Amino acid sequence: MLTRIANVCLATVLSCGSAWAQMPLSAIDWLSDSLTESASGPLPAYSVHDESTRTGAPGPDTISVAPVGDVNSNSVGLFPGTATGLPTSLLEAADSSEITALLLETGRGPLPSMRRLLFDLLLAEAPRSGTADSGGRLFLARVDSLLDLGAVEQARALLERVGPSDPERFRRWFDVGLLTGTEREACVRFSRTPELLKSLSARVFCLARNGDLGAASVTLAAGRATGAVSGADAALLTRFLNLYAEDDTEPLPVPMHPSPLEFRIHEAIGEPLSTETLPRAFARADLRPNIGWKARVEAAERLVRSGAISANLLLGLYAKPEPEASGGVWRRSAVIQRVDAAIRERDSERIAETLPDAWREMRRKGLETVLAELYGDALREIDLEMSVGSIAYRIMLLSDEYETAAEHHVPIDIDERFLRAVSMGEPENAEAPNDVARAIASGFRAADTQERIPGNAGNDDPGAMVLAAVRKMRDSGMGDLGSLSEAIALFRKAGLEEVARRAALEAMILDKPA
């Protein structure tokens, strides 16, 4: 029986041998490297190897998944495109190389408003008319961008809307399962349709995961004999298959750029890898309940910054009853617990004592929008003394109800008067306190004229304006105030007034030192 299994497994390896020989090593070692080239041109690589810094983006509790029939994958989304307010011409631009580049560029920008815009692009349905599939290249780029942001649940929801029925979609779906501890479903599907899984290492893993250790061992041996698997991969898989053997061998070397499969196997053999220096998608693995509290909080902070999860999830983790140490994440947890209790009890004196510390601690980690999402509305309804009112005002201006907050706040200085004017869409009528404010006012003023905006290159299509604005906003993050002016003007001309206002408020508030 074992000989027959060996022959079958060896035949499987040999039948794929020529394909493996022609594949770049990264396609074997790094299960989820996306196609770098396709018949229609390059795709942005899903490497999960880049780190960067929309709160409130749709999270696991807001996603509904329903299978669809014969669909154009590029048009699939989790909510109607009409709900975003984005120009139809932008949502239709499935074949535009600019769109695929935009998906990654925007996620690495500094402003929450830009990441919010990105999530709208990634998750919204596109009009089906005029949306060419091009092999689903845009769909794959959207999934890869979500994974780059650490939005693993959202990526899974998109994949399941279409179905992981081809190798490119399946390997992403497989990775999502590995990162969330739900890989069994993918391995069961592999047992029914093995042609979907091209990686021999993944085949060995799934055979073992499905309970067929004999076939897994023989497949690994056949792979080693043919050279399809060797070196670190072979050592890792061997250790995995001998999981319960008494062995005093040294821990395996830590891979520099582990794939989700390597990450999962290292965990299974009792040699877990830290996600601290790994790409954001791996941080999702640390949200599982079997992970220690500190690692879970640090992972949640990374994912909140990118907009992958909601601030409420982080708050739930901060609510650990008794911090066990001081400094770092322990201090942030204690500070948030105190300010949360004060705000819930509407105790203005305690808020005055705790809010400055909370603002300072969260600013150090780039988490100001967490305070805005959690407490922006509540702070607006509490009378606060002047010393803390300025901080509360800025927190409220970073929330969804920024305009209402501005209407009910009495400015106390030139900065606050300008922020109020921006919130009302009228900064050109207010005195600008600094160069950033002057650039913002110039952008609002330019949008109200009939003059051409330099960053638009004479294109009056709203979708093209948004593309140009996002590029300009990226440039403004490097200190180019002219680009900031042009980006704001373009967003307003494209009809995205709220995006323009929020970006301007963030540029003023988040650029200030703590």
Side-chain angles (χ1 to χ4, degrees), residues 6 23 158 190 308 319 327 342 360 404 429 442 455 485 490 511:
M23 293 168 71
L158 272 187
F190 154 72
R360 182 167 50 252
T404 302
N429 298 328
S442 176
S485 292
L490 288 167
D511 192 47

Side-chain angles (χ1 to χ4, degrees), residues 174 178 183-184 187 190 200-211 216 237 240-241 261 264-265 268:
F174 184 64
L178 292 166
E183 71 277 359
R184 179 172 177 78
C187 285
F190 154 72
L200 180 60
S201 296
R203 286 170 176 255
V204 172
F205 175 82
C206 273
L207 285 168
R209 188 70 178 81
N210 290 340
L237 289 168
F240 175 63
L241 295 182
L261 180 60
R264 187 72 178 89
I265 294 178

Side-chain angles (χ1 to χ4, degrees), residues 257-271:
H257 301 299
S259 70
L261 180 60
E262 291 171 319
F263 177 85
R264 187 72 178 89
I265 294 178
H266 269 274
E267 183 179 63
I269 65 175
E271 300 177 16

